[in-house]
Amino acid sequence: MTQLPAAQKQAEQAEQATQSTQPAPSALKPSDGGKALYGGKSTRRITVRDIAAAKERGEKWPMLTAYDAMTASVFDEAGIPVMLVGDSAGNCHLGYETTVPVTLDEMTMLSAAVVRGTKRALIVADLPFGSYQEGPVQALRSATRLIKEAGAGAVKLEGGERSHRQIELLVESGIPVMAHIGLTPQSVNSMGYRVQGRGEEAAAQLLRDAKAVQDAGAFAVVLELVPAELAAEVTRALHIPTVGIGAGPGTDAQVLVWTDMLGLTSGRVPKFVKKYADLREVMAGAARSFAEDVVGGTFPLEEHSVH
């Protein structure tokens, strides 16, 4: 065995000791706050290029819906990197039974409010039902409103292969597009609310849809109510990020409707929802306390009065 010079041997031993104390690359990711989407140090607007870079780093990231400036400002301060102004506002805030009645005017107003309430998050605005189904030109007109009038950074539309031409024209025109496949709520009248992609043929179609939106230029794709194994397979097959909702842990990102996440929604919520607070009970309790103070004459008191 060849003997190494003492100085070289000491240097190699020091290097090996340093390497043994270095954390694994995966352990460095959470503390890499400079580039991270969640917890990152940058205060500029997040862009679709940042989303692509996160996929390359293997970074998972959160997305929440938002429909007004005040709620959006809270999520922005909390570091949520991407907010979706979803047509789910129809169910959550506008009193509709489904997302179908939501109009482009309503989406433009809500999206503008969310943009005004945020500084860092990428704001993705939904194209509502009837605003893009006629074809690429209609889609471009509708998306242009959300970008110009509302100030959104990207738009989202539903459909895989059937929306390929719309996505392609929007991207060619400089409008970033997030696609949405699996359960597409705007198609509730034809598909209902049920898991998509079960069975060999349905799974193959979902994979074709995912590749179609990627080929058309979408920067990300939402997978809704898709079996976890299939969602993980789609995620591995694509170079663009996947955003799961009811699609298991194998996607690149996760999104929840904020009223579900904070327990504001009444009645049954989907199985995939995790409730992080019971805001409905907090608000109801506060309202009851206020009412009782007024009825009992204990509000307002002297300190609440103007002289």
Side-chain angles (χ1 to χ4, degrees), residues 55 160 179-182 196-215 220-244 247-253:
K55 172 83 170 184
H180 184 155
I181 61 175
Q196 302 296 308
R198 281 181 174 159
E200 186 175 340
E201 184 177 342
Q205 180 59 57
L206 190 120
L207 186 56
R208 286 195 296 271
D209 284 335
K211 290 181 177 179
V213 299
Q214 175 177 265
D215 292 345
V221 56
V222 173
L223 306 178
E224 182 167 359
L225 214 57
V226 172
E229 298 82 3
L230 177 57
E233 179 184 349
V234 171
T235 301
R236 291 190 295 268
L238 300 184
H239 62 73
I240 62 173
T242 57
V243 183
T251 56
D252 297 301

Side-chain angles (χ1 to χ4, degrees), residues 29-302:
K29 288 178 182 176
S31 62
D32 185 15
K35 296 180 179 180
L37 294 182
Y38 174 71
K41 298 176 182 178
S42 174
T43 56
R44 63 170 175 77
R45 282 279 182 189
I46 289 171
T47 69
V48 296
R49 294 183 65 182
D50 298 314
I51 302 300
K55 172 83 170 184
E56 294 177 1
R57 294 193 300 270
E59 176 192 348
K60 289 182 176 289
W61 46 274
M63 180 167 80
L64 285 172
T65 63
Y67 316 109
D68 65 90
M70 185 173 292
T71 304
S73 70
V74 173
F75 295 159
D76 203 45
E77 291 170 9
I80 299 300
V82 184
M83 287 182 223
L84 171 65
V85 189
D87 57 5
S88 49
N91 313 76
C92 301
H93 288 277
L94 302 179
Y96 302 136
E97 291 187 3
T98 71
T99 65
V100 173
V102 177
T103 68
L104 183 58
D105 285 341
E106 288 168 335
M107 288 306 307
T108 302
M109 177 191 67
L110 296 173
S111 300
V114 170
V115 170
R116 289 193 294 267
T118 57
K119 296 179 180 178
R120 180 175 181 268
L122 170 65
I123 308 304
V124 182
D126 252 342
L127 284 170
F129 180 73
S131 69
Y132 62 94
Q133 281 84 357
E134 289 180 16
V137 174
Q138 185 201 26
L140 180 57
R141 291 197 189 102
S142 300
T144 298
R145 285 196 61 189
L146 294 174
I147 299 297
K148 287 189 67 175
E149 297 178 30
V155 300
K156 181 175 76 64
L157 56 76
E158 295 181 359
E161 290 182 323
R162 63 183 169 87
S163 297
H164 181 278
R165 294 184 302 118
Q166 285 93 324
I167 296 171
E168 199 168 48
L169 179 59
L170 295 186
V171 174
E172 288 175 355
S173 302
I175 298 177
V177 178
M178 177 180 285
H180 184 155
I181 61 175
L183 173 65
T184 48
Q186 292 175 10
S187 303
V188 62
N189 291 326
S190 61
M191 68 167 51
Y193 291 106
R194 57 190 178 87
V195 176
Q196 302 296 308
R198 281 181 174 159
E200 186 175 340
E201 184 177 342
Q205 180 59 57
L206 190 120
L207 186 56
R208 286 195 296 271
D209 284 335
K211 290 181 177 179
V213 299
Q214 175 177 265
D215 292 345
F219 73 90
V221 56
V222 173
L223 306 178
E224 182 167 359
L225 214 57
V226 172
E229 298 82 3
L230 177 57
E233 179 184 349
V234 171
T235 301
R236 291 190 295 268
L238 300 184
H239 62 73
I240 62 173
T242 57
V243 183
I245 178 166
T251 56
D252 297 301
Q254 297 290 334
V255 60
L256 283 177
V257 172
W258 84 261
T259 50
D260 293 341
M261 186 269 293
L262 287 178
L264 193 59
T265 306
S266 63
R268 293 182 60 187
V269 295
K271 176 185 177 181
F272 57 77
V273 171
K274 181 177 179 179
K275 188 167 71 171
Y276 287 83
D278 192 350
L279 195 57
R280 190 176 188 86
E281 182 54 36
V282 171
M283 293 175 68
R288 287 191 292 265
S289 296
F290 164 70
E292 290 165 5
D293 282 357
V294 171
V295 172
T298 57
F299 178 82
L301 298 175
E302 179 64 25

